[in-house]
Amino acid sequence: IAGDLLLVVLIPILAFLLILSGPKIRDAVRKTFARESVWQHIVDDLDHLFGRYIRALLLLSLAAFVAYALFLSSIGVPYALLLAAVAALLEFVPVFGPLLAALVIIIVAGLAQFPHLLWVLIFIVGYRIFQDYILGPRLMGTGVGVHPILVLFGLLAGEEVAGVAGIFLSVPAIAAALIIGRHLMDDPAT
């Protein structure tokens, strides 16, 4: 568990740093490969892919904030906006983040003696089903260019292969493999 928790914190930080250093890395990779035309297109497409992936994660986080803020505020849960912000931030952590956010919301509402905990729980379960099986795959599929069904299978396979890190990296890995395969198949020299 401690190893997975370290990855939960480390992977988003590394992803952010890689995106910041993307242009420098892209230029270095371009200079490294002799067949620059094919590899240049691959590196450019991968650069755009990872930008779209982070954008999709930001949109999922924003959707979580809006949904939780609207629902929790409308039924009068104490600290609704703060709880919505926590849920939005934890959206970046695959699987465990939304679970932890749900636990925090239920615990805070319970400690504040909110009388309708069942409604909060029903909303959280319903929203997670909507986001995990409809909104998430659509945003990832559209933003990253991978079909939503492939996104779902990739998430499941990534979890089996590498746990939390596999879940976080599965969608960009699938999209990267599709980009590289497409370019290598289109290149007549390969």
Side-chain angles (χ1 to χ4, degrees):
I1 292 175
D4 284 343
L5 288 177
L6 177 64
L7 290 175
V8 163
V9 173
L10 189 61
I11 288 174
I13 292 170
L14 288 175
F16 180 73
L17 292 174
L18 284 173
I19 287 172
L20 287 178
S21 302
K24 291 179 186 175
I25 294 171
R26 181 182 59 228
D27 292 339
V29 170
R30 280 183 183 165
K31 291 177 185 175
T32 303
F33 292 102
R35 292 177 38 220
E36 192 171 316
S37 63
V38 172
W39 292 105
Q40 180 178 355
H41 292 297
I42 290 173
V43 170
D44 287 341
D45 285 351
L46 290 175
D47 183 38
H48 295 297
L49 161 80
F50 292 123
R52 290 189 309 257
Y53 178 67
I54 294 300
R55 223 178 343 264
L57 282 177
L58 288 171
L59 287 173
L60 286 173
S61 179
L62 178 65
F65 177 78
V66 170
Y68 280 103
L70 288 175
F71 179 78
L72 296 176
S73 295
S74 69
I75 65 168
V77 175
Y79 314 109
L81 292 179
L82 179 62
L83 293 172
V86 167
L89 287 175
L90 289 173
E91 196 63 41
F92 285 98
V93 181
V95 180
F96 296 116
L99 179 62
L100 184 59
L103 288 174
V104 167
I105 291 169
I106 295 295
I107 289 171
V108 168
L111 289 175
Q113 297 179 346
F114 183 71
H116 305 291
L117 286 178
L118 181 61
W119 286 111
V120 174
L121 184 63
I122 290 170
F123 168 77
I124 290 171
V125 168
Y127 181 73
R128 289 312 323 158
I129 290 171
F130 169 73
Q131 180 148 345
D132 292 344
Y133 296 103
I134 298 172
L135 184 62
R138 287 209 182 272
L139 281 176
M140 288 296 176
T142 303
V144 181
V146 178
H147 194 278
I149 292 175
L150 194 53
V151 170
L152 286 175
F153 285 129
L155 292 173
L156 294 171
E159 192 274 329
E160 285 296 318
V161 171
V164 174
I167 293 170
F168 190 77
L169 297 173
S170 63
V171 174
I174 291 170
L178 290 173
I179 287 171
I180 292 169
R182 185 183 70 231
H183 280 290
L184 291 177
M185 291 183 76
D186 288 344
D187 183 29
T190 56

